[in-house]
Amino acid sequence: MSEFNTTFQPSLFILTGLRGLVGARLWLGPLLSLMYITTMAGNCTVIYLVRTERSLQEPQYHFLSMLAGADIILSVSTLFSVLKVFIFDLYEIAFDSCLAQLFFIHTSSSMGSGILLAMAFDRFVAISHPLQYTTILTNSRVIKMGLAAFLRGVALMTPLPILLKRLPFCKGQMLSYSYCIHPDVMKLACGQVKINIFYGLVLVIFSFGVDFLLIAISYALIFQAVMGIASREGQMKALNTCLSHIFIVFIYYGPLLAITVMHRISHRSSPVAHAVLGNIYLFMPPMLNPIVYSLKTKQIRSALRKSLKIHIR
């Protein structure tokens, strides 16, 4: 293990994985490799289909391809450290590499949250104002909304590595996960960490918290509009267009909320529970997003079958 240098910054951190589970590497390595392959293949397929299929040239599918892009960034940013831990049994990560990784993890997570909000707005417009749908959500507005989610993520998360870089570290080098995130690195620091704690709380509230609140408001308005539809069949058809998005919102924000709470009460929670929940938060949403939308969306299934037939020929 590396010595601390004169600035009290470690040259590296030690990643953890699931050391509390005996023999975890034997099955987790292959499983995580399969999940990465599934994630990359699924999200790349979504982007390809949206770019090439004319039937998918609608705002909701453009937002879906943006979400797929954010998921790819998240997966790539953790790929090497996670597989290094669970396949090669190597636990060290350089200090600067750790800061870069946590920046990309938090930025892509913020982007994903902003895109989920845009998708909720898309469903609200489609159900509440169907006749004005194409005039409200024009291609230029869709691009601007996606760009806003990207720029917000970069702007909000850029201070995180900067705030950590200024701190001395005196509480060891052992992290809780097989990747770096801000709360986990911050707990090893000493000195004036109040700014980091405050800024982290601001990020959670005014990024993910505000997004989730606005998504909830959007669905309250959607359900109000659905109740105004005369026929039962029409109501079910309208709600069915939202099911995929509702499911993705819960699998995205559920683990995120749980992991945020666990960091606030870390002294009372199991390290293994920390690691398991952290891996669920990291791997499940990017992997499930394309699967859920492919299973629940007829247009995507049709486009996928059409594309497969063309390539098989």
Side-chain angles (χ1 to χ4, degrees):
M1 191 176 293
S2 172
E3 295 288 334
F4 283 83
N5 60 33
T6 56
T7 62
F8 298 98
Q9 286 185 347
S11 61
L12 55 85
F13 287 115
I14 307 299
L15 302 169
T16 300
L18 293 176
R19 288 184 176 176
L21 298 180
V22 179
R25 275 185 59 238
L26 297 177
W27 57 271
L28 262 179
L31 176 62
L32 292 175
S33 299
L34 180 61
M35 292 176 72
Y36 267 118
I37 293 170
T38 303
T39 298
M40 297 301 291
N43 286 293
C44 288
T45 299
V46 167
I47 293 174
Y48 171 77
L49 291 176
V50 173
R51 284 178 61 87
T52 58
E53 291 296 325
R54 184 171 298 179
S55 61
L56 300 181
Q57 300 304 306
E58 298 180 13
Q60 62 173 320
Y61 302 118
H62 290 307
F63 286 131
L64 180 59
S65 69
M66 294 176 191
L67 183 63
D71 288 339
I72 289 173
I73 295 173
L74 176 61
S75 298
V76 170
S77 65
T78 61
L79 176 65
F80 297 106
S81 69
V82 171
L83 295 186
K84 187 169 71 171
V85 167
F86 288 107
I87 292 183
F88 300 107
D89 202 25
L90 300 173
Y91 295 93
E92 295 181 352
I93 183 171
F95 180 78
D96 289 333
S97 297
C98 183
L99 296 186
Q101 184 183 59
L102 71 85
F103 167 76
F104 283 107
I105 289 175
H106 290 298
T107 298
S108 57
S109 296
S110 178
M111 287 168 54
S113 179
I115 293 166
L116 286 174
L117 174 58
M119 295 171 80
F121 179 70
D122 168 84
R123 292 298 83 206
F124 165 70
V125 175
I127 293 173
S128 301
H129 307 283
L131 298 179
Q132 291 83 39
Y133 180 70
T134 54
T135 57
I136 294 175
L137 285 172
T138 60
N139 285 337
S140 63
R141 285 199 179 119
V142 169
I143 292 172
K144 288 176 182 177
M145 291 168 73
L147 184 61
F150 169 75
L151 293 176
R152 185 192 70 165
V154 172
L156 289 177
M157 303 306 165
T158 296
L160 292 182
I162 297 173
L163 290 173
L164 287 171
K165 187 79 173 177
R166 70 183 178 85
L167 293 173
F169 288 79
C170 59
K171 299 178 182 178
Q173 296 166 281
M174 186 74 67
L175 299 174
S176 302
Y177 308 108
S178 54
Y179 54 88
C180 299
I181 56 175
H182 177 257
D184 200 30
V185 176
M186 182 183 65
K187 75 180 184 182
L188 301 180
C190 49
Q192 295 297 321
V193 297
K194 290 183 179 180
I195 296 176
N196 296 68
I197 295 172
F198 176 75
Y199 190 70
L201 186 61
V202 167
L203 284 182
V204 171
I205 294 174
F206 290 99
S207 178
F208 302 103
V210 169
D211 287 350
F212 184 76
L213 177 62
L214 293 176
I215 289 171
I217 292 173
S218 297
Y219 272 104
L221 296 173
I222 287 172
F223 291 139
Q224 184 180 18
V226 167
M227 292 300 103
I229 298 175
S231 67
R232 179 77 173 176
E233 182 181 352
Q235 291 178 347
M236 296 308 296
K237 185 177 179 180
L239 286 175
N240 192 53
T241 64
C242 302
L243 289 180
S244 298
H245 183 255
I246 292 173
F247 180 77
I248 294 302
V249 166
F250 277 107
I251 66 170
Y252 183 88
Y253 286 102
L256 178 62
L257 176 62
I259 202 172
T260 301
V261 171
M262 286 188 74
H263 274 289
R264 301 295 172 185
I265 57 169
S266 57
H267 59 288
R268 288 184 286 173
S269 56
S270 163
V272 175
H274 259 284
V276 170
L277 192 58
N279 284 305
I280 291 174
Y281 158 70
L282 187 71
F283 295 116
M284 294 306 289
M287 185 184 71
L288 291 178
N289 287 347
I291 295 174
V292 169
Y293 272 94
S294 297
L295 292 176
K296 289 294 297 179
T297 308
K298 181 180 178 181
Q299 291 88 336
I300 293 180
R301 292 199 306 271
S302 299
L304 182 59
R305 283 195 296 266
K306 178 182 174 182
S307 180
L308 289 174
K309 286 179 182 178
I310 292 174
H311 285 89
I312 289 174
R313 290 175 185 173

